[in-house]
C-alpha cells in the first residue's frame, strides 16, 4: 500500500511534465512512436528505415537520413528517448524557443546519420570489407548526447544526483561523457550496435559544433553566432586527465573544418587591463546572458513544483546578475586562427589595443 502511495506523486509528476511540455516536443515524440510502430509492420525491412552507405545512394534511399535518427528497434530505447526529450526541453525550449529547438533536433539528426554513413564508407574504402558498406545505423543516441552538451552549456554545475563515493556528486557537465561511456558498455555487452556507439560520438560532436559556431544568440536570434567562451571549449567536455589527448585532436579537427569552410574563424574579446602571460579573460556577453536566462527558467520551474506555502528563494537575487557599473576597461580583438588552440582557449597574443573609455590610446 505504501509503495502504491509513493508511486502516485511520481506518476503525477510525469503526467504534469508531459502535459506542460512544448508542442514541438510532443510532435517529436509522436514521430518517434509512429516510426517505431512502422518498423513493427510485417514486411517492413530494417533497411527501409535505417541508413547505410551501401543503400543511401546506390539504391536511392534518400529518405533514410530523415528516418534513421527517429527509428528505434526496441521499446526501451523509445522510452529513454522520451525521458531525454522531456527533461532537456523543460530547460532548453524556453531559452531557445520552439523554432530553434526543432532546428537543433533536425540538424543533429540528419547530420549524425550522414556522418555515420560517411565513416563506414571510409572504412570500406580502406579495408574493402563489404560488411562496412552495408552497416546500418538508426536511433536517437546522437541527439541525446547533443542535448546533454546543450544542457552542459547552459547549466554546467547543476547537480543531478549525489554519488555514494567520497561525497561526490553527478553534475550536468559530466553527462555527455557519461552517455558515451554507458553506450560503450552496452555495445561491449552486445546490447547496442557499434554503429549506434559511433552515432553517439558523432551526435555529441555535431551538437557541440553547432552550438559553438553557428547558433544565433540574443533576442530574436539576431545576435552573434556561437559561444566562444572558454567554459564551452571542446576539451571541457572531458575530464582534465584526458585534456592532453583531446586538445591536439580537437585542434586538428578545427583546422580541417576551417579549411573546408564548415566552421568560421572566431575572434574573442580580451580585457586588456587584466591581460598578462598567465591570465587571459575571455568574455562572452551572449553566453553570460544565456546563463542568466537559464537561472530564471530554473527558478520558475522550482516555484511551479513547490507544494508548500513558503515561497522558494529567488535564484536571481536583487540584481546580482546585472552589471553594477559601466565597463571601463579596454579591449582588443584576437584572431583565434593565430591562437595555439582555437577550440580550447589556448593562450593568445593581443592585437593592437583599442582606445580607452577616457579617449587615451
Amino acid at each position: 500500500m505504501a509503495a502504491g502511495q509513493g508511486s502516485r506523486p511520481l506518476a503525477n509528476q510525469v503526467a504534469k511534465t508531459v502535459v506542460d511540455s512544448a508542442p514541438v516536443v510532443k510532435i517529436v515524440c509522436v514521430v518517434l512512436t509512429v516510426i517505431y510502430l512502422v518498423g513493427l509492420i510485417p514486411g517492413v525491412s530494417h533497411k527501409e528505415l535505417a541508413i547505410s552507405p551501401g543503400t543511401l545512394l546506390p539504391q536511392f534511399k534518400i529518405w533514410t537520413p530523415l528516418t534513421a535518427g527517429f527509428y528505434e528497434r526496441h521499446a526501451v530505447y523509445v522510452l529513454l528517448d522520451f525521458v531525454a526529450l522531456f527533461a532537456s526541453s523543460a530547460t532548453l525550449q524556453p531559452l531557445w524557443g520552439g523554432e530553434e529547438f526543432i532546428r537543433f533536433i533536425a540538424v543533429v539528426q540528419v547530420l549524425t546519420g550522414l556522418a555515420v554513413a560517411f565513416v563506414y564508407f571510409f572504412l570500406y574504402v580502406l579495408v574493402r570489407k563489404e560488411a562496412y558498406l552495408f552497416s546500418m545505423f538508426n536511433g536517437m543516441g546522437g541527439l541525446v548526447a547533443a542535448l546533454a552538451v546543450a544542457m552542459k552549456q547552459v547549466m554546467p554545475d547543476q547537480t543531478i544526483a549525489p554519488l555514494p563515493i567520497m561525497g561526490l556528486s553527478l553534475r550536468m557537465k559530466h553527462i555527455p561523457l557519461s552517455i558515451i561511456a554507458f553506450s560503450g558498455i552496452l555495445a561491449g555487452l552486445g546490447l547496442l550496435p557499434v554503429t549506434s556507439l559511433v552515432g553517439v560520438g558523432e551526435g555529441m560532436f555535431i551538437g557541440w559544433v553547432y552550438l559553438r559556431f553557428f547558433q544565433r544568440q540574443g533576442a530574436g536570434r539576431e545576435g552573434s553566432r556561437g559561444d566562444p567562451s572558454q567554459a564551452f571549449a571542446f576539451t571541457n567536455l572531458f575530464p582534465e586527465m584526458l585534456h592532453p589527448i583531446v586538445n591536439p585532436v580537437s585542434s586538428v579537427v578545427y583546422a580541417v573544418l576551417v579549411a573546408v569552410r564548415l566552421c568560421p574563424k572566431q575572434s574573442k574579446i580580451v580585457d586588456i587591463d587584466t591581460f598578462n602571460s598567465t591570465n587571459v579573460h575571455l568574455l562572452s556577453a551572449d553566453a553570460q546572458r544565456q546563463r542568466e536566462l537559464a537561472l530564471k527558467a530554473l527558478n520558475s520551474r522550482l516555484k511551479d513544483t513547490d507544494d508548500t506555502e513558503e515561497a522558494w528563494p529567488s535564484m536571481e537575487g536583487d540584481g546580482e546578475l546585472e552589471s553594477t557599473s559601466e565597463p571601463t576597461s579596454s579591449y582588443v580583438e584576437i584572431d583565434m586562427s593565430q591562437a595555439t588552440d582555437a577550440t580550447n582557449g589556448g593562450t593568445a597574443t593581443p592585437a593592437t589595443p583599442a582606445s580607452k573609455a577616457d579617449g587615451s590610446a
Side-chain angles (χ1 to χ4, degrees), residues 14-355:
V14 171
K16 185 178 184 300
T17 301
V18 173
V19 172
D20 294 343
S21 63
V24 63
V25 179
K26 297 174 183 176
I27 292 173
V28 173
C29 290
V30 169
V31 171
L32 187 65
T33 303
V34 169
I35 295 181
Y36 168 72
L37 294 176
V38 169
L40 298 179
I41 297 176
V44 176
S45 172
H46 174 56
K47 298 179 181 179
E48 301 299 323
L49 298 173
I51 187 172
S52 79
T55 61
L56 177 59
L57 293 180
Q59 299 183 21
F60 207 64
K61 294 183 178 180
I62 56 176
W63 63 86
T64 53
L66 300 176
T67 60
F70 297 99
Y71 173 46
E72 297 284 9
R73 302 185 69 180
H74 304 285
V76 64
Y77 292 139
V78 176
L79 295 178
L80 290 176
D81 294 341
F82 285 173
V83 172
L85 285 169
F86 285 122
S88 61
S89 66
T91 297
L92 298 177
Q93 197 275 336
L95 295 178
W96 295 354
E99 182 179 346
E100 176 61 22
F101 190 71
I102 195 66
R103 182 185 295 114
F104 180 78
I105 291 176
V107 168
V108 172
Q109 289 285 72
V110 173
L111 293 185
T112 297
L114 293 175
V116 174
F118 174 79
V119 166
Y120 275 83
F121 178 75
F122 183 72
L123 291 175
Y124 166 74
V125 172
L126 285 180
V127 301
R128 293 295 176 176
K129 189 175 180 180
E130 194 172 287
Y132 289 129
L133 188 62
F134 292 99
S135 294
M136 311 298 296
F137 166 75
N138 66 279
M140 200 179 281
L143 177 61
V144 172
L147 290 172
V149 171
M151 293 292 290
K152 186 265 182 195
Q153 179 191 30
V154 299
M155 46 178 57
D157 294 322
Q158 175 71 22
T159 300
I160 304 299
L163 298 176
I165 304 174
M166 300 175 61
L168 300 177
S169 60
L170 180 64
R171 299 182 182 273
M172 190 65 70
K173 62 183 179 181
H174 303 140
I175 297 299
L177 188 61
S178 298
I179 291 175
I180 291 182
F182 182 66
S183 300
I185 294 174
L186 292 179
L189 296 175
L191 301 176
L192 189 72
V194 177
T195 52
S196 295
L197 175 60
V198 175
V200 169
E202 296 279 7
M204 187 183 80
F205 181 72
I206 290 169
W208 176 83
V209 168
Y210 177 80
L211 296 171
R212 180 76 164 178
F213 301 107
F214 296 103
Q215 187 184 55
R216 284 287 188 184
Q217 308 293 336
R221 297 285 155 187
E222 296 178 354
S224 60
R225 287 185 180 271
D227 178 4
S229 63
Q230 167 65 13
F232 196 53
F234 187 71
T235 51
N236 288 331
L237 298 178
F238 301 86
E240 291 186 5
M241 66 180 67
L242 297 179
H243 286 189
I245 300 175
V246 178
N247 204 17
V249 174
S250 61
S251 298
V252 171
V253 172
Y254 174 77
V256 172
L257 292 177
V258 170
V260 298
R261 298 185 178 182
L262 290 179
C263 282
K265 295 180 180 178
Q266 282 197 325
S267 297
K268 294 182 181 180
I269 302 301
V270 176
D271 189 344
I272 194 63
D273 289 342
T274 56
F275 177 84
N276 56 50
S277 60
T278 60
N279 188 20
V280 178
H281 294 277
L282 300 178
L283 308 179
S284 175
D286 291 327
Q288 179 63 24
R289 185 160 48 251
Q290 276 191 321
R291 284 157 178 76
E292 293 174 8
L293 290 173
L295 289 175
K296 293 179 181 179
L298 180 60
N299 187 53
S300 176
R301 289 168 53 200
L302 291 174
K303 286 182 179 179
D304 291 340
T305 56
D306 188 6
D307 296 329
T308 66
E309 294 182 357
E310 180 182 359
W312 193 276
S314 174
M315 297 183 67
E316 299 171 338
D318 296 326
E320 294 178 1
L321 295 177
E322 298 181 359
S323 175
T324 57
S325 62
E326 293 294 328
T328 59
S329 57
S330 302
Y331 301 96
V332 296
E333 187 175 12
I334 293 178
D335 187 349
M336 296 309 291
S337 64
Q338 303 297 324
T340 304
D341 182 4
T343 59
N344 300 291
T347 302
T349 303
T352 304
S355 297

